[in-house]
Structures are given as C-alpha cells and as structure tokens.
Amino acid sequence: ILKTRFVDNYSKNKINGIYDINDDILDLKEEKELARKVSQNISKYDLVLVVDYGHGFLTPKNIDLIQKKSKFLAVNTQLNSLNYGYHSISKYKKADYICIHDGELRYDYRNKNEKTEKLVIKLNNKIKSKIITITKGSKGSLCYRNNKFTYCPAFANKIVDRVGAGDTLLAITSLCNKLKVPLEITLLLGNLAAANTISAMGTGGILNKVDIIN
C-alpha cells in the first residue's frame, strides 16, 4: 500500500491524496503461510497487537488463530474510504483489549445518537473483552472495565497533524493494560502520548519520557 499525500507548505494541510492499494484477500497458499508463521512465533510474545485496516491481509481463519493463540490480545479496527460498508470490530469474537474510535463503534451498530456508554456495553456483551477504550477526538477517551467507566480529557493544545493519534494511544494503553497499570494512569499516559503525536507533522517522531513529563 503506497499513499502519496500533497501538503500545503504554509498551512501544512493535506490538499489531496493518491492511494495505490492492493486490498485483495490472501489466497489459500498465502493464508496457510501466514498461519504457519503466526503459529511458530505467537507464543514468544506476551502482547499481540492487531491493527486491522480491512485490506485483506487478516482472513477469518487467521483472525481465529490469533484469537486462540494470543497470551494477551489487543485489537483495533479502522474505517477508511476503501473498507467502509463491510469492515468493523464485529469480525472479532474475543480480545483482552479493544480500542476503537467512537465513530467506528457507532458504525458497528448503525447508531448515530445513542450514548456511547450504552453502545460500549452492547459491544462488551457481543465481544468478550476485559477492557474497552473508546477514543473521541477532542473530547478525550473513555474506558470500560469491570462494569465501570473511567474518563480522560484530551490534552492537545497544539494540533499540527492528527494522523497517528489513535495509533499512539492504542500502543501505549495496550502496554499499560497488559502490565496492569492502574486505569487512570493508563488513560492519562495514552492521552498525553496522543497529544504529543499530533503536535508534529507526520508519524516519524519517537515518543520519549521527557515529552510525557513536560
């Protein structure tokens, strides 16, 4: 997948994008090869983090394999203009941790107006997950664990490029949840890290301790 973005040099806003995408599902031979590699290696890892963009790489059989073999599975599914209409978190049956955007949660239930909390409870009943985090952009995030909601505001005061904020929050909170860091601290670190990501152009920056402390 090759994405070329044209950016205005002054405002840094994206003007246009050209995407060269191969989103054909894996054929039988490729699917078996991926399953072989997953089976050989997955037990080596304490945390398995799946970011599913819906471009055909993760087939139902391999999703089932990952769900069965992972010691701790964190899952994120992302909507885009090329997978809209058939890609959602419902393709997963269980996960230790789910982290998705509020819009993706609403898409899954075709529901625009119901409170996010009610939709999260429905999702929790549908997909067996210990922890669910919903990101809400400028409204921060909320997390559902042990039948209780915990909330955290967004901390961004400098927005240069919003790309990568959700991915950063997913990565940090997945690590924290695997290590059983207190939920309030987990959300705080995730939202601070996301704020740091969108304060610079592109996704090439490396998060460091000094940035988080600042």
Side-chain angles (χ1 to χ4, degrees):
I1 294 175
L2 178 64
K3 297 183 178 181
T4 305
R5 293 189 173 105
F6 295 88
V7 179
D8 175 65
N9 191 48
Y10 179 74
S11 69
K12 306 302 181 186
N13 290 324
K14 185 178 78 172
I15 301 169
N16 194 15
I18 297 175
Y19 301 157
D20 181 11
I21 292 186
N22 167 16
D23 61 353
D24 295 333
I25 195 167
L26 298 185
D27 62 32
L28 215 56
K29 183 180 177 182
E30 293 168 330
E31 183 183 55
K32 287 182 178 179
E33 177 63 12
L34 177 60
R36 184 185 67 80
K37 289 185 176 181
V38 168
S39 296
Q40 282 181 347
N41 292 287
I42 199 166
S43 63
K44 301 174 186 177
Y45 298 94
D46 298 317
L47 165 65
V48 175
L49 202 158
V50 172
V51 183
D52 190 341
Y53 295 97
H55 293 317
F57 182 70
L58 292 167
T59 63
K61 284 185 178 179
N62 277 311
I63 287 174
D64 187 53
L65 177 64
I66 291 167
Q67 290 176 146
K68 288 178 178 177
K69 299 279 188 177
S70 299
K71 293 178 184 177
F72 185 97
L73 176 61
V75 175
N76 166 263
T77 55
Q78 296 191 18
L79 282 176
N80 57 55
S81 58
L82 293 159
N83 66 30
Y84 204 86
Y86 58 85
H87 178 62
S88 77
I89 190 64
S90 289
K91 67 198 296 185
Y92 292 85
K93 303 303 178 190
K94 63 177 183 176
D96 296 284
Y97 179 48
I98 292 171
C99 181
I100 57 173
H101 186 269
D102 186 64
E104 284 143 357
L105 174 67
R106 293 187 179 281
Y107 170 78
D108 200 52
Y109 285 95
R110 309 298 192 271
N111 192 311
K112 181 181 178 181
N113 299 312
E114 195 164 5
K115 288 186 68 174
T116 300
E117 288 84 349
K118 289 186 177 181
L119 296 178
V120 169
I121 292 171
K122 287 182 181 180
L123 181 64
N124 187 64
N125 291 334
K126 185 178 183 181
I127 303 174
K128 300 307 177 186
S129 178
K130 297 172 184 175
I131 313 165
I132 298 174
T133 293
I134 305 297
T135 60
K136 296 169 71 75
S138 62
K139 295 180 181 178
S141 61
L142 63 88
C143 186
Y144 184 67
R145 186 176 73 177
N146 296 330
N147 300 315
K148 177 186 174 184
F149 285 98
T150 303
Y151 302 84
C152 186
F155 297 107
N157 52 21
K158 179 185 176 185
I159 302 174
V160 176
D161 183 358
R162 289 177 294 177
V163 172
D167 297 323
T168 301
L169 186 141
L170 166 70
I172 296 297
T173 56
S174 295
L175 288 166
C176 288
N177 283 318
K178 167 57 186 171
L179 294 171
K180 298 182 179 178
V181 174
L183 190 52
E184 291 83 357
I185 301 298
T186 295
L187 286 178
L188 175 64
L189 290 174
N191 280 271
L192 287 174
N196 182 75
T197 295
I198 65 175
S199 66
M201 178 61 65
T203 56
I206 298 173
L207 189 67
N208 63 68
K209 182 179 178 180
V210 174
D211 290 333
I212 292 296
I213 291 173
N214 287 339

